[in-house]
Every structure is written in structure tokens, then in C-alpha cells.
Amino acid sequence: MNKGLLFSCLLVAVTSVQAAPISIPYQGFFQRLKQVNKGNYPLVEIAFSVPNKSKCLIKSGTITTETESFPLTITQDQRIFLPYDARLKSDRALVNLDIKGSADNCNISMQVRAKNTKQSYSQKELLELQAEMNTMLSDMQGFPMRYFSQDIEGINFEFESGSQTSVKIDGQRQVFTDKLRLSQEQLNKLSVVEFDTKPLVISPWTHG
């Protein structure tokens, strides 16, 4: 299993059928957040989300203990924002998702990504971003699974699904749909990358 599988794998596989809401122990999320908070990562973060929106639509979400309940912030693309709170872990909190669709199609994924995105990047900025992604993944190695500590192969830039985006790399313009990948070799050669709109997500590109 290579490093890429850590953030592209299914963090939680929900197997119950027609369960509404789905309840997942907060402890698993806390352990992953703890690994990240132990490090110094000004540029990157981990994001939890529910993919396959057409088959698993989140209507609402809460985090609950035996005595308290708090609403969760969930974005249109179904990213779930979870607090980092040791008290919630000790209180055995649950993450509850009220869904539309079969629970068989609902999975929670974890992704390493840039905290913020912008329309242009210098080579120095991209290499710093890539280095921090590598460091975060290495720091998380072996938890909760062991995998080979291969460096990432480059960087993904993701845009609105179905959209065409223009990019200039050292003045050379090209148009692409949905996603642009820049390999390590390309990153080492370029000077500046300029998009006509900000990427939605910037994440590591890994093998597999």
C-alpha cells in the first residue's frame, strides 16, 4: 500500500443499510486530527468529506455526546468540518449524518490539501507546498495503517467539474478540463503558474 492510499482511501466504510442518521465514533477523526495538530503545517490540512453526492446526499449533521449536541458545518461539496477537541473524545462523541440515499453508498474520505488557493504560484511556493504535503504524510505514516513512504509525484489542481480552465506556465497557455496535474519534473523546471480562476482544491499527486 503506498502513501497515496492514506488520503484517497475510505476512512470510514458505512455498511448499515438505510440507516438514517448514520452515526460514527468521533474518536477515529480525533486520532487523525491529533496527528496533524502535533506538527507544524501552515500551508496544508486534512479534509473529511462524503463523495458520491448523487447517491449519498447529506441533509444535515451533528456531533453529540450523552448530554450535548452541536451542529456540523457541511459545505455544498459535502466537506465536513470537525472540531479538534479532546473532551469530545473522552465523552465518546458521535458524528451523526442525516442522509438521503442508501448508506451502502456513503463513505467518508480523508484528503491532504492546501489550506488556501490562489490564481498564481511561483516555483518556490509550489515546492514549499509539495514539501509540506510530503512531511504531513510522512508524519502520519503507520497510523492507522502502514504503507510505503514514497514521496508524492507532483501536485493536483482541481476545478469545478466540467469546467474549462486556462493556465499559463511560464507564459505558455493551455486549456484543460476539471483537473491539472504537474509532475515533479515539471515543477522543477517551471518559474510561475497562472490560472484564470482559483483552484477549488490543491492536493498531492501520488502513484496508484
Side-chain angles (χ1 to χ4, degrees):
M1 185 178 298
N2 67 36
K3 178 181 294 185
L5 293 181
L6 176 63
F7 60 87
S8 64
C9 74
L10 299 179
L11 174 62
V12 178
V14 181
T15 57
S16 58
V17 178
Q18 300 297 336
I22 296 168
S23 294
I24 308 162
Y26 170 74
Q27 180 176 357
F29 299 100
F30 177 83
Q31 294 300 334
R32 290 150 179 84
L33 292 168
K34 182 178 180 180
Q35 291 292 112
V36 173
N37 278 269
K38 283 168 59 179
N40 178 27
Y41 307 110
L43 303 177
V44 300
E45 62 184 353
I46 57 171
F48 301 103
S49 64
V50 176
N52 204 4
K53 183 177 179 179
S54 62
K55 294 184 178 180
C56 180
L57 178 66
I58 303 178
K59 297 166 63 178
S60 62
T62 58
I63 184 165
T64 59
T65 66
E66 289 186 359
T67 58
E68 296 178 294
S69 178
F70 309 96
L72 289 175
T73 298
I74 302 172
T75 66
Q76 188 173 7
D77 61 356
Q78 303 208 142
R79 177 177 177 181
I80 304 168
F81 286 88
L82 293 169
Y84 174 58
D85 190 332
R87 184 179 60 85
L88 290 174
K89 173 182 173 292
S90 63
D91 288 346
R92 299 181 180 180
L94 294 173
V95 175
N96 309 292
L97 302 177
D98 186 14
I99 66 163
K100 180 180 179 181
S102 171
D104 287 342
N105 298 316
C106 295
N107 300 289
I108 301 207
S109 65
M110 182 175 71
Q111 183 185 51
V112 173
R113 58 169 69 178
K115 287 183 179 178
N116 301 293
T117 67
K118 57 181 185 174
Q119 285 185 240
S120 66
Y121 288 89
S122 67
Q123 181 195 57
K124 181 176 182 291
E125 290 173 319
L126 291 176
L127 292 178
E128 287 175 347
L129 186 59
Q130 183 189 36
E132 197 164 300
M133 289 175 177
N134 262 325
T135 300
M136 177 181 286
L137 289 169
S138 295
D139 287 348
M140 297 175 74
Q141 182 179 349
F143 184 88
M145 64 193 81
R146 294 198 175 276
Y147 53 93
F148 299 119
S149 56
Q150 299 170 342
D151 286 345
I152 62 179
E153 297 186 11
I155 297 178
N156 293 318
F157 302 85
E158 300 175 35
F159 296 81
E160 196 73 42
S161 178
S163 66
Q164 286 199 326
T165 303
S166 174
V167 60
K168 284 198 301 182
I169 302 177
D170 293 341
Q172 298 296 312
R173 185 178 297 275
Q174 59 178 290
V175 177
F176 61 92
T177 302
D178 294 352
K179 179 185 289 188
L180 174 70
R181 285 179 165 177
L182 293 180
S183 67
Q184 184 64 64
E185 182 180 4
Q186 290 173 300
L187 293 171
N188 289 338
K189 290 180 179 179
L190 62 80
S191 296
V192 63
V193 175
E194 301 169 283
F195 299 101
D196 61 359
T197 186
K198 289 199 307 182
L200 296 177
V201 175
I202 300 178
S203 62
W205 172 20
T206 67
H207 178 74

